[in-house]
């Protein structure tokens, strides 16, 4: 008796029973299809109706499809076709751990392209919180087990502002293998690995240590294989944290400016006030203005007093520097209290043990490079902001 017939019988018997339905028991039956008419095993003797097709309830073992084929030649051909489809886009044959492309599987540059070069995904390192000058980026290795071999990763970075054409200016380009792992690049950028759950062999990381505070940066990454092909670009844009501010110093300067502005201001005092305000950074100037207005606004706000004491021209030169402060940082710089602190966190700085031959970058496989890593502590200065001294919080810019 087919299983669905058995269930239907149970359901009918329960519905026709004079007794009440069994509490908590519900039987629901439906047919999921029928066996094809060509299947003689599915026909019941003396019955024209086809029995329902069985429904797959669970899979307890996964095997390659080609292992179900009994004929060895057919099985091998099927296996080759599946391997070619999965690893070589169906346009080549799998030979050990690489793809031998068909004659029609070449791009406009004459390079074989049957084995796809995956796009790397650039991201912020979750274990290194960005500061005003330090940012750590990472990505997973995209080299597949079979097929294309990654030779290098190219990382471009640039600061984006209103004077920069983001399409024409690509920024500074760094080769992960030749510039960073070799140690020949700038000391402000280093290759390494951040501490995480991903196995170190599949994770690459780069730390930037000399970025400008409150700056908008664009980072672009692409992979290069051993034949010179480039992957699609992966891009992230972020803003570094606000500049460090010595709040006590800013308050001292605000008091000094008030004393210079108070009463009759001689030419010497005017020049001293002008030089003092021009020497501090834009973020410090913003904080000086905040403290001045908090304590002495009843005698005239900072802008009006500066124009009155220094004249419109000098006051304009000072006040236009406040435009360099982003809206996000200007909000934080209005906090009641600001404190500075230093965080230290471990980071693995890595260098290759071998020198790659010049001019032969494409013939080297990055994964085969022997790398030595050394753990060092990275110091990062941060501001904490709050409305009271007992409730200070660290805030970084959104990205």
């Amino acid at each position: 008796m087919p299983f669905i017939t058995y269930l239907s019988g149970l359901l009918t018997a329960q519905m026709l029973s004079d007794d009440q339905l069994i509490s908590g028991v519900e039987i629901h039956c439906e047919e999921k299809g029928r066996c094809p008419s060509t299947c003689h095993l599915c026909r019941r003797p003396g019955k024209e109706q086809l029995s329902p097709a069985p429904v797959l309830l669970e899979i307890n073992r996964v095997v390659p499809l080609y292992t179900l084929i009994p004929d060895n030649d057919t099985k091998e051909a099927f296996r080759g076709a599946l391997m070619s489809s999965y690893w070589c886009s169906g346009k080549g044959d799998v030979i050990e751990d690489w793809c031998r492309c068909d004659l029609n599987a070449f791009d406009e540059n004459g390079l074989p392209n049957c084995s796809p070069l995956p796009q790397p995904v650039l991201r912020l390192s979750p274990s290194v919180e960005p500061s005003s000058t330090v940012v750590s980026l990472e990505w997973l290795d995209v080299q597949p087990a079979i097929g294309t071999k990654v030779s290098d990763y190219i990382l471009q970075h640039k600061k984006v502002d209103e004077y920069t054409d983001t399409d024409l200016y690509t920024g500074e380009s760094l080769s992960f293998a030749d510039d960073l792992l070799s140690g020949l690049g700038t000391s402000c950028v280093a290759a390494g690995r951040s501490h995480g759950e991903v196995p170190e062999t599949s994770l690459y990381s780069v730390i930037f240590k000399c970025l400008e505070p409150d700056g908008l940066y664009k980072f672009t990454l692409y992979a290069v294989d051993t034949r010179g092909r480039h992957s699609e670009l992966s891009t992230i844009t972020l803003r570094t944290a606000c500049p460090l501010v010595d709040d006590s110093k800013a308050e001292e300067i605000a008091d000094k400016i008030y004393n210079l502005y108070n009463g009759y201001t001689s030419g010497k005092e005017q020049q001293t006030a002008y030089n003092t305000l021009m020497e501090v950074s834009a973020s410090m100037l913003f904080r000086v203005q905040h403290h001045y207005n908090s304590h002495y606004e009843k005698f005239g706000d900072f802008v009006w007093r500066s124009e009155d004491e220094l004249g419109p021209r000098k006051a304009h030169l000072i006040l236009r520097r406040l435009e360099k402060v982003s809206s996000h940082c200007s909000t934080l710089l209005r906090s009641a209290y600001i404190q500075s602190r230093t965080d230290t966190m471990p980071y693995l700085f890595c260098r290759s043990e071998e020198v790659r031959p010049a001019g032969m970058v494409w013939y080297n496989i990055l994964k085969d490079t022997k790398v030595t890593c050394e753990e060092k502590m990275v110091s990062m200065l941060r501001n904490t902001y709050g409305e009271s001294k007992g409730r200070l919080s660290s805030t970084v810019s959104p990205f």
Side-chain angles (χ1 to χ4, degrees), residues 210-226:
C210 306
L211 300 180
E212 294 184 21
D214 194 20
L216 186 64
Y217 285 88
K218 181 179 180 180
F219 299 89
T220 303
L221 177 74
Y222 63 88
V224 181
D225 71 2
T226 53

Side-chain angles (χ1 to χ4, degrees), residues 106-111:
F106 287 78
D107 60 18
E108 62 276 6
N109 298 319
L111 298 175

Side-chain angles (χ1 to χ4, degrees), residues 14-295:
Q14 181 168 327
M15 296 294 290
L16 296 177
S17 174
D18 294 334
D19 300 330
Q20 291 184 350
L21 296 180
I22 301 175
S23 177
V25 176
E26 180 181 355
I27 300 176
H28 176 70
C29 303
E30 63 176 326
E31 295 184 358
K32 294 292 186 179
R34 299 179 180 275
C35 292
S37 59
T38 56
C39 178
H40 66 281
L41 298 176
C42 297
R43 302 185 66 87
R44 290 182 290 170
K47 300 283 186 177
E48 293 298 328
Q49 182 182 3
L50 302 177
S51 67
V55 179
L56 182 62
L57 299 180
E58 66 174 308
I59 300 174
N60 54 23
R61 189 165 64 97
V62 179
V63 296
L65 194 58
Y66 58 80
T67 60
L68 305 178
I69 302 176
D71 181 70
N72 289 336
D73 292 339
T74 307
K75 179 188 298 186
E76 187 60 29
F78 194 20
R79 187 185 78 83
L82 286 177
M83 295 285 284
S84 173
S85 176
Y86 187 82
W87 296 109
C88 309
S89 304
K91 301 177 182 179
D93 300 322
V94 174
I95 307 296
E96 295 180 350
D97 64 345
W98 58 280
C99 287
R100 182 179 61 192
C101 297
D102 298 336
L103 295 178
N104 61 346
F106 287 78
D107 60 18
E108 62 276 6
N109 298 319
L111 298 175
N113 65 348
C114 65
S115 177
L117 178 57
Q119 176 191 22
V121 179
L122 189 63
R123 67 189 185 192
L124 279 171
S125 300
S127 59
V128 181
E129 180 185 351
S131 71
S132 57
T133 57
V134 178
V135 169
S136 178
L137 305 175
E138 67 183 26
W139 65 93
L140 293 174
D141 187 21
V142 297
Q143 178 171 302
I146 296 176
T148 186
K149 306 301 177 187
V150 174
S151 173
D152 200 1
Y153 291 96
I154 305 300
L155 183 62
Q156 298 173 341
H157 68 98
K158 62 181 177 181
K159 185 179 180 183
V160 181
D161 54 41
E162 58 181 342
Y163 307 107
T164 304
D165 189 324
T166 56
D167 296 326
L168 297 178
Y169 176 62
T170 59
E172 182 181 357
S173 294
L174 294 171
S175 163
F176 186 77
D178 290 340
D179 296 328
L180 300 179
L181 284 182
S182 65
L184 299 178
T186 172
S187 59
C188 288
V189 187
R193 302 193 194 282
S194 57
H195 292 271
E197 299 177 356
V198 181
E200 292 184 355
T201 55
S202 61
L203 184 69
Y204 295 111
S205 179
V206 172
I207 187 169
F208 293 82
K209 299 180 289 183
C210 306
L211 300 180
E212 294 184 21
D214 194 20
L216 186 64
Y217 285 88
K218 181 179 180 180
F219 299 89
T220 303
L221 177 74
Y222 63 88
V224 181
D225 71 2
T226 53
R227 301 181 186 275
R229 288 187 305 162
H230 292 182
S231 71
E232 294 186 11
L233 302 178
S234 176
T235 301
I236 63 171
T237 302
L238 60 89
R239 182 176 292 277
T240 52
C242 301
L244 292 176
V245 172
D246 186 340
D247 200 35
S248 299
K249 183 68 174 178
E251 193 166 10
E252 291 177 5
I253 295 176
D255 294 338
K256 177 181 178 180
I257 297 300
Y258 169 75
N259 292 327
L260 291 173
Y261 286 173
N262 190 25
Y264 172 75
T265 306
S266 65
K268 181 179 179 181
E269 290 171 331
Q270 289 180 350
Q271 190 63 37
T272 300
Y274 175 78
N275 292 341
T276 300
L277 295 175
M278 290 296 289
E279 288 172 357
V280 298
S281 64
S283 56
M284 276 288 286
L285 178 61
F286 197 101
R287 192 62 180 171
V288 168
Q289 181 187 31
H290 171 79
H291 281 301
Y292 188 98
N293 291 336
S294 298
H295 299 309

Side-chain angles (χ1 to χ4, degrees), residues 275-379:
N275 292 341
T276 300
L277 295 175
M278 290 296 289
E279 288 172 357
V280 298
S281 64
S283 56
M284 276 288 286
L285 178 61
F286 197 101
R287 192 62 180 171
V288 168
Q289 181 187 31
H290 171 79
H291 281 301
Y292 188 98
N293 291 336
S294 298
H295 299 309
Y296 311 113
E297 190 172 18
K298 61 183 178 181
F299 303 109
D301 72 342
F302 180 78
V303 173
W304 180 82
R305 290 289 288 157
S306 296
E307 291 176 343
D308 183 58
E309 297 293 341
L310 304 180
R313 188 184 69 84
K314 285 187 175 181
H316 174 72
L317 294 176
I318 294 172
L319 297 175
R320 73 175 183 179
R321 299 173 60 225
L322 297 175
E323 300 173 0
K324 298 179 180 179
V325 182
S326 67
S327 59
H328 172 72
C329 289
S330 63
T331 301
L332 293 176
L333 290 172
R334 293 189 183 97
S335 301
Y337 296 97
I338 300 179
Q339 289 183 354
S340 300
R341 78 174 197 267
T342 302
D343 291 342
T344 57
M345 55 187 59
Y347 191 84
L348 292 174
F349 290 87
C350 301
R351 295 187 63 173
S352 61
E353 299 178 0
E354 53 195 25
V355 179
R356 288 161 55 118
M360 297 183 62
V361 175
W362 292 350
Y363 298 96
N364 293 272
I365 300 176
L366 182 61
K367 210 165 189 176
D368 294 342
T369 304
K370 296 181 179 179
V371 175
T372 301
C373 296
E374 178 183 3
E375 182 176 280
K376 296 182 180 180
M377 302 301 293
V378 179
S379 298

